[in-house]
Amino acid sequence: MTLLRAAIVAGLRTPFVRAGSEFAQLDVLELARSVTVELLQRTELDPKLVDQVIYGNVTRPVQYANLARELVLAAGLPTSTPADTVTLQCASAIQAITDATNLIERGYADVVIAGGVEMLSNVPIALSPQLARAVVSASQSRTLRQRVSSFGSVRLKDLPPVAPAIAETSTGLTMGQSAELMAKLNGISRADQDAWALGSHQKAVAAWRNGEMKQEVAPVYVTSDGGRAVTCDNHIRPDTSLEKLAQLRPVFDRAYGTVTAGNSSPLTDGAASILLMSEDRAKSLGYAPKAMVRSYAYAAVDPAGQLLLGPAYAIPKALDRAGTTLMDIDLVEMHEAFAAQVLSTLRKLDSNEFARTELGRDQAVGCIDPARMNVRGGSIALGHPFGATGARCVTTLANEMERQSARLGLVSVCAAGGVGAAIVLERP
Ligand SMILES: CC(C)(COP(=O)(O)OP(=O)(O)OC[C@H]1O[C@@H](n2cnc3c(N)ncnc32)[C@H](O)[C@@H]1OP(=O)(O)O)[C@@H](O)C(=O)NCCC(=O)NCCS
């Protein structure tokens, strides 16, 4: 049996902007629609050929139980196109891409749009469970008296709205506190975190200046306030420096911490869509794939430990499945939730002890040359719309692999819950 391969034909994202800024008045569906329509137009793909849409999203407004299906309808894809929304926290778009890969490799689909979106400017704010139960009970009541009595057990403390927290349900620790813990356990210095953050900004600035970034970012048209086109990311700081970064106060452990606003990814709005096809369909339609999905893997760690270390376990699994080693990987896109998480992961991958005790291997997985990593900047500079980041990473990697004629590339994303995801791409 010939193995079908999934091809990355094209990818596009919106500008990534700080939550509460340029996209604050936009709807999450509009953001996803905008980039998906632009992807279809730029690739000149007949929408009728799309077999399925899979979209990642984490903080979904209540009206979009299946955001991906609404995206199909809003983007003018045929109403017969099935669609599903997936959530794997910060790795949601990676889940969408690997689900699309599975469909294509099984021969169940030839053309899939996979991606993700996040609108942290407009997160679902819920009622407390007690108040929510009372509202449901009141809506089912037949008389005014019953309706009023539904609220009898509601106390003052039940009235404030409940916003989603970037914290673990099982431990109560926020992502930032977990990054602090990782910095301390792995001895990652403040200076090293700031240097990583500076590099992230410098590479992002360079990628915009030399025109490479423009290739993967589509403008978003905001129609409120007289209308305007948002064309650029707005968190990148061309003027940042080690001195400025060193002055920032730690956020998550004010007394002894090292994680600051400067060496963390910011809360961000944005969307990204990728067009995947079976190799044969791409060929017959005249597309030249940028990269093929060679393998992928997921892993998970105890959230009470090093929460964001999942990729250190997923990467070796994905490499084994691809039949390759880190040494042969030409380019790496590693999601930067925090500089402390990136540096911890790199250190573990290069540790013989970690390999022996945690992975059951004789030798370290290997060392990644930072010059081959996140070459157009990472999430610290670009921003991190949870649902979209995985698609941003895969798009950039595929574009860079094409530009540099690289043979093999690796993407990794850490996610809440202790999950890590990795994908190995190869040039066709
Ligand atoms: C870290 C965090 C709390 C910071 O939020 P914030 O306080 O709104 O951050 P800001 O961007 O306003 O930055 C705070 C200050 O640092 C400054 N700053 C931030 N980055 C800087 C940089 N690279 N260089 C110089 N100054 C910088 C800002 O200018 C601001 O200064 P001001 O107070 O004088 O205006 C927030 O971004 C966060 O929660 N990030 C983590 C998100 C997360 O957990 N994601 C999940 C990952 S898996």
Side-chain angles (χ1 to χ4, degrees):
M1 194 179 88
T2 11
L3 181 72
L4 299 169
R5 290 199 303 169
I8 310 287
V9 170
L12 204 58
R13 68 174 174 90
T14 67
F16 283 0
V17 306
R18 293 168 58 86
S21 67
E22 311 257 23
F23 296 158
Q25 302 308 319
L26 278 187
D27 183 74
V28 63
L29 179 58
E30 171 52 21
L31 209 52
R33 189 202 65 82
S34 160
V35 74
T36 305
V37 166
E38 186 76 20
L39 178 70
L40 288 168
Q41 284 175 354
R42 289 194 188 185
T43 52
E44 297 179 358
L45 180 74
D46 180 352
K48 286 208 245 5
L49 296 176
V50 178
D51 294 313
Q52 187 140 344
V53 172
I54 311 173
Y55 230 64
N57 182 238
V58 182
T59 55
R60 196 171 324 153
V62 284
Q63 70 269 34
Y64 300 131
N66 184 0
L67 183 89
R69 178 65 181 150
E70 299 309 324
L71 172 58
V72 163
L73 303 175
L77 287 157
T79 52
S80 54
T81 315
D84 63 298
T85 311
V86 293
T87 287
L88 186 53
Q89 307 280 20
C90 304
S92 295
I94 294 288
Q95 185 69 58
I97 291 162
T98 60
D99 285 359
T101 300
N102 291 349
L103 287 174
I104 291 169
E105 288 184 350
R106 276 187 155 241
Y108 290 176
D110 278 313
V111 181
V112 183
I113 291 178
V117 61
E118 210 66 47
M119 175 59 85
L120 290 178
S121 294
N122 179 16
V123 294
I125 310 282
L127 303 177
S128 70
Q130 198 63 18
L131 183 55
R133 281 189 203 106
V135 170
V136 172
S137 162
S139 73
Q140 293 166 340
S141 302
R142 303 235 163 127
T143 65
L144 182 62
R145 178 188 265 261
Q146 279 177 347
R147 205 165 293 159
V148 172
S149 73
S150 302
F151 292 93
S153 57
V154 175
R155 302 281 166 267
L156 205 59
K157 68 173 175 44
D158 301 322
L159 296 182
V162 185
I166 311 177
E168 286 298 299
T169 309
S170 59
T171 66
L173 281 185
T174 65
M175 301 292 133
Q177 287 166 331
S178 298
E180 270 297 355
L181 181 67
M182 291 173 74
K184 290 182 179 109
L185 289 174
N186 303 313
I188 310 292
S189 71
R190 166 76 184 265
D192 285 350
Q193 292 174 54
D194 287 351
W196 188 272
L198 179 65
S200 185
H201 284 276
Q202 287 173 336
K203 287 181 280 183
V205 169
W208 272 108
R209 287 202 176 133
N210 66 24
E212 281 159 10
M213 196 70 99
K214 202 161 180 266
Q215 163 194 25
E216 55 196 56
V217 182
V220 170
Y221 300 96
V222 180
T223 50
S224 56
D225 304 334
R228 67 207 141 85
V230 180
T231 55
C232 288
D233 303 322
N234 74 2
H235 183 70
I236 305 167
R237 292 171 182 263
D239 62 341
T240 193
S241 64
L242 286 181
E243 295 68 36
K244 286 181 182 165
L245 283 158
Q247 280 163 18
L248 302 178
R249 291 186 61 199
V251 184
F252 304 101
D253 173 356
R254 292 211 171 261
Y256 305 107
T258 52
V259 177
T260 69
N263 57 40
S264 306
S265 59
L267 301 174
T268 311
D269 297 336
S273 290
I274 288 185
L275 179 60
L276 289 107
M277 285 187 194
S278 63
E279 200 171 9
D280 285 354
R281 181 58 62 92
K283 207 171 173 186
S284 68
L285 291 174
Y287 293 106
K290 292 171 186 292
M292 318 298 291
V293 179
R294 170 117 160 212
S295 72
Y296 68 83
Y298 293 92
V301 298
D302 181 353
Q306 300 205 37
L307 178 73
L308 304 173
L309 206 54
Y313 298 79
I315 288 172
K317 250 168 123 176
L319 291 170
D320 285 350
R321 287 175 181 173
T324 190
T325 66
L326 207 44
M327 232 171 56
D328 294 322
I329 297 288
D330 302 304
L331 287 164
V332 176
E333 274 295 314
M334 185 179 285
H335 161 52
E336 301 169 345
F338 301 89
Q341 152 263 323
V342 173
L343 294 169
S344 296
T345 306
L346 293 180
R347 201 166 280 188
K348 294 295 183 192
L349 289 172
D350 201 20
S351 156
N352 285 324
E353 197 200 334
F354 177 78
R356 272 195 302 271
T357 57
E358 292 294 318
L359 304 175
R361 303 163 82 101
D362 297 341
Q363 280 191 333
V365 180
C367 174
I368 302 177
D369 175 2
R372 290 184 292 135
M373 243 181 100
N374 300 357
V375 293
R376 297 186 185 183
S379 302
I380 291 175
L382 301 170
H384 171 36
F386 306 150
T389 287
R392 193 269 299 163
C393 291
V394 169
T395 297
T396 299
L397 182 66
N399 283 336
E400 272 297 324
M401 286 175 68
E402 182 183 45
R403 196 180 69 80
Q404 298 188 24
S405 300
R407 207 172 64 83
L408 287 170
L410 171 74
V411 167
S412 79
V413 180
C414 57
V419 177
I423 302 183
V424 176
L425 298 184
E426 64 186 339
R427 282 283 292 155

